[in-house]
Amino acid sequence: MIRKPWKSLRFKMLYLFVLSALASVTTAGILVLIAIAAYETDFPYLAPLLKLMKDEFGIPVVFTSACLLFFVFYLFALSRSTIRYLMEISQGIERIAAGNFDYLFQIRGDDELGVLAENINKMTAQLKLSIEEERRAERTKAELVTNVSHDLRTPLTSIIGYLGLVEEDRYRDEVELRHYVRIAYEKSMHLKTMIDDLFEFTRTSGGMGLRLASINLFEMLGQLTAQFRLQFEQAEMECLLSLPDHPIFVCADGDKLVRVFENLIVNAIQYGKDGRQVEIAVWSDSGQAVVEIANYGEPLPASIIPFLFERFYRGEHSRSRNTGGSGLGLAIAKNIVELHNGVISAASDQVRTSFTVRLPLAK
């Protein structure tokens, strides 16, 4: 936007027009005076030519013609920098169109051409960013397909192998038959879990719509811990729930938010068995609702914490095939929390590992 109208291209062209007119009239006037002096002094060779021009065209016509010629000359000379800048912009656009998104225009002046160059620079930077994001998305898609193919092939190979043994009657007795069928069933359930997680990850990564409602975290987490009572008992773990004296409300999609806390509780049970205890705490802080789920199992190395929420990341503590994880649980949780304008983070020391979810309080 032009902040000073008198510096706009329209006024600049008006200035050039007026200046060219004044300069042409002045130059033509000086030349006429010189011609008159040469005519009166009967200057050799020049005086006869001037007399001929006077007799043939007249002084007004000659003076006007000289003014027009000088006006065109001065107009081209004075507008040369503007025309050159316009050509630089045109050539720069050709470079950008050819794929050179690192090219930047120099901003000269506050007129429309300067604003145009600045806007093209912004557009080029945004276009470069969009193309990089698109390429990154393509790489991500390729990595996703590769990882999914690899992860799904493992249980599928086991299922085919054990069912093949059953099909070919290669078992000694019914006990061994049931053993093969049980393994095939467990691998099938693992495969189903991975496919469900992949579907959920794809949905949450695509910016899915949310059915927002006022959610009481006090009640939600109380119900969740009750639902996980059997899992805690089977793992021989104790769940300590710390809730505030007053309800804490957030505006969220209840079904999606439950998935987040379910994933975090399942992780705490799987990887915190040695600590025999899971702590779930809720409080409010600076306009945010904070939920922390912690366990006292083996600590996470500091080097892997930044990668915990990446899809298919596998560390010996985070997403191990031995525990049946799909490598997508924490990535799904991160996507859902960010869809709610929240933040999820992890921390670990020699004693305690915790995952913290921060969500805006309902207004």
Side-chain angles (χ1 to χ4, degrees), residues 31-306:
L31 290 179
V32 167
L33 292 177
I34 293 174
I36 292 174
Y39 180 76
E40 292 178 350
T41 57
D42 198 16
F43 195 84
Y45 302 110
L46 185 59
L49 178 62
L50 294 174
K51 184 176 183 306
L52 177 63
M53 293 175 63
K54 176 184 176 183
D55 295 340
E56 289 291 333
F57 305 104
I59 293 179
V61 173
V62 173
F63 178 76
T64 303
S65 300
C67 287
L68 289 175
L69 290 175
F70 283 117
F71 174 78
V72 172
F73 171 78
Y74 282 118
L75 186 62
F76 272 93
L78 293 175
S79 62
R80 183 180 178 184
S81 61
T82 301
I83 300 300
R84 183 187 299 165
Y85 189 37
L86 186 60
M87 292 186 67
E88 286 180 10
I89 293 177
S90 177
Q91 292 171 358
I93 292 176
E94 291 180 359
R95 292 184 182 181
I96 295 172
N100 184 7
F101 299 107
D102 293 322
Y103 183 83
L104 292 177
F105 294 101
Q106 294 183 356
I107 309 301
R108 299 177 184 173
D110 297 332
D111 59 11
E112 287 87 348
L113 292 182
V115 173
L116 176 63
E118 183 178 2
N119 289 336
I120 293 177
N121 285 342
K122 292 179 181 178
M123 181 195 69
T124 304
Q126 186 62 42
L127 183 60
K128 181 181 178 181
L129 181 61
S130 299
I131 292 176
E132 289 176 352
E133 289 179 351
E134 184 177 351
R135 290 173 179 171
R136 193 180 303 114
E138 289 297 325
R139 289 194 298 269
T140 299
K141 187 184 298 182
E143 292 174 3
L144 184 63
V145 171
T146 301
N147 288 327
V148 167
S149 300
H150 182 272
D151 285 359
L152 296 183
R153 183 171 53 189
T154 302
L156 187 59
T157 301
S158 297
I159 293 170
I160 293 173
Y162 283 105
L163 291 181
L165 294 175
V166 174
E167 174 68 19
E168 296 171 4
D169 295 327
R170 294 171 60 184
Y171 52 90
R172 291 188 297 269
D173 50 30
E174 186 176 348
V175 175
E176 192 171 51
L177 171 62
R178 288 182 175 275
H179 176 67
Y180 290 165
V181 172
R182 185 178 71 254
I183 293 176
Y185 174 76
E186 291 174 353
K187 295 295 183 180
S188 299
M189 294 305 296
H190 181 200
L191 188 61
K192 180 180 181 300
T193 300
M194 295 179 66
I195 294 174
D196 290 343
D197 284 348
L198 178 62
F199 177 68
E200 188 70 17
F201 175 76
T202 305
R203 290 179 62 206
T204 57
S205 298
M208 55 185 262
L210 299 175
R211 296 180 179 179
L212 299 177
S214 182
I215 305 295
N216 186 348
L217 290 179
F218 185 109
E219 295 180 355
M220 174 181 284
L221 290 170
Q223 293 173 2
L224 270 179
T225 52
Q227 294 173 11
F228 276 91
R229 183 177 303 167
L230 179 59
Q231 287 91 324
F232 283 119
E233 291 178 356
Q234 291 174 343
E236 298 180 352
M237 299 181 72
E238 180 184 7
C239 179
L240 301 180
L241 185 60
S242 176
L243 298 175
D245 297 331
H246 57 281
I248 295 180
F249 289 92
V250 295
C251 186
D253 187 318
D255 294 336
K256 304 300 181 296
L257 207 55
V258 164
R259 181 67 189 271
V260 172
F261 298 130
E262 284 179 345
N263 285 343
L264 296 181
I265 293 174
V266 167
N267 272 358
I269 294 174
Q270 287 180 346
Y271 309 116
K273 290 182 180 180
D274 295 342
R276 304 297 182 186
Q277 185 174 294
V278 173
E279 293 179 351
I280 301 176
V282 187
W283 70 90
S284 59
D285 177 41
S286 302
Q288 291 183 318
V290 184
V291 179
E292 183 184 64
I293 299 177
N295 67 79
Y296 292 85
E298 189 174 352
L300 294 172
S303 60
I304 75 169
I305 289 180

